[in-house]
């Protein structure tokens, strides 16, 4: 949420900067229009067209800025924040919660794991799990033997798949 807030702030700052630049260009176009001899109709027409284009562009930027100002970054109430922090500290509770669907569990995994690198070595897979907290875990998993079905649990050795292990790895 902090990253979203920062992104929203950065976007707003970009639009403000573009709007400031457009105001400058509008003012410059107006000065050029005022400085031309009125009897030079071709020059006056072209300068007026440019001035109008810059005014239109400025109007669009100001509308975008108003929209960015109206769209506030999402905020979390103190109660919701406390509940989220408690769930983060007790990952087992979030994982085993009766309301936790498969999709919710997938989202939890996606939040915790940055990437998994797999390499085939003989009859096993060498895995490196990169966690969001910066930690890395190396695992060796045996590949299924011929005739072994996908319903047969793989022999994964001493993998600790408990949520406490995930929490410890991420140093939550």
């Amino acid at each position: 949420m902090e990253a979203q807030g920062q992104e929203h702030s950065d976007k707003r700052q970009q639009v403000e900067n573009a709007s400031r630049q457009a105001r400058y260009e509008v003012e410059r176009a107006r000065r050029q229009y005022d400085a031309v001899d009125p009897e030079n109709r071709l020059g006056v027409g072209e300068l007026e067209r440019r001035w109008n284009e810059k005014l239109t562009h400025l109007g669009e930027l100001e509308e975008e800025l108003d929209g960015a100002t109206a769209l506030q970054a999402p905020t979390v109430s103190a109660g919701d924040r406390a509940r989220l922090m408690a769930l983060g500290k007790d990952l087992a509770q979030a994982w085993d919660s009766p309301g936790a669907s498969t999709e919710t569990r997938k989202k939890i995994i996606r939040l915790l794991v940055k990437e998994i690198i797999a390499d085939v070595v003989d009859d096993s897979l060498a895995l490196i799990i990169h966690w969001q907290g910066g930690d890395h875990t190396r695992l060796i998993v045996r590949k299924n033997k011929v005739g072994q079905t996908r319903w047969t649990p793989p022999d994964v050795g001493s993998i600790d798949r408990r949520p406490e292990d995930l929490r410890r790895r991420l140093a939550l």
Side-chain angles (χ1 to χ4, degrees), residues 118-126 143:
D119 189 22
V120 178
V121 179
D122 297 326
D123 65 341
S124 60
L125 297 173
K143 293 183 349 183

Side-chain angles (χ1 to χ4, degrees), residues 86-107:
L87 285 174
K89 289 180 181 171
D90 190 7
L91 194 56
Q93 179 184 355
W95 189 265
D96 296 330
S97 170
S101 66
T102 304
E103 290 301 317
T104 303
R105 289 186 179 113
K106 286 180 183 179
K107 287 179 183 178

Side-chain angles (χ1 to χ4, degrees), residues 49-64:
R49 185 190 62 76
R50 289 181 191 172
W51 185 18
N52 286 332
E53 284 177 0
K54 295 196 185 302
L55 282 170
T56 302
H57 181 65
L58 177 61
E60 291 168 356
L61 285 172
E62 287 178 348
E63 284 180 19
E64 187 176 346

Side-chain angles (χ1 to χ4, degrees), residues 16 18 22 24-25 46 50 60 76 80 82 106 118-119 130 140 156 159 171:
E16 284 177 359
Y24 169 78
E25 290 176 4
E46 177 63 20
R50 289 181 191 172
E60 291 168 356
V76 176
D80 287 342
K106 286 180 183 179
D119 189 22
H130 294 271
I140 304 264
V156 291
I159 294 176

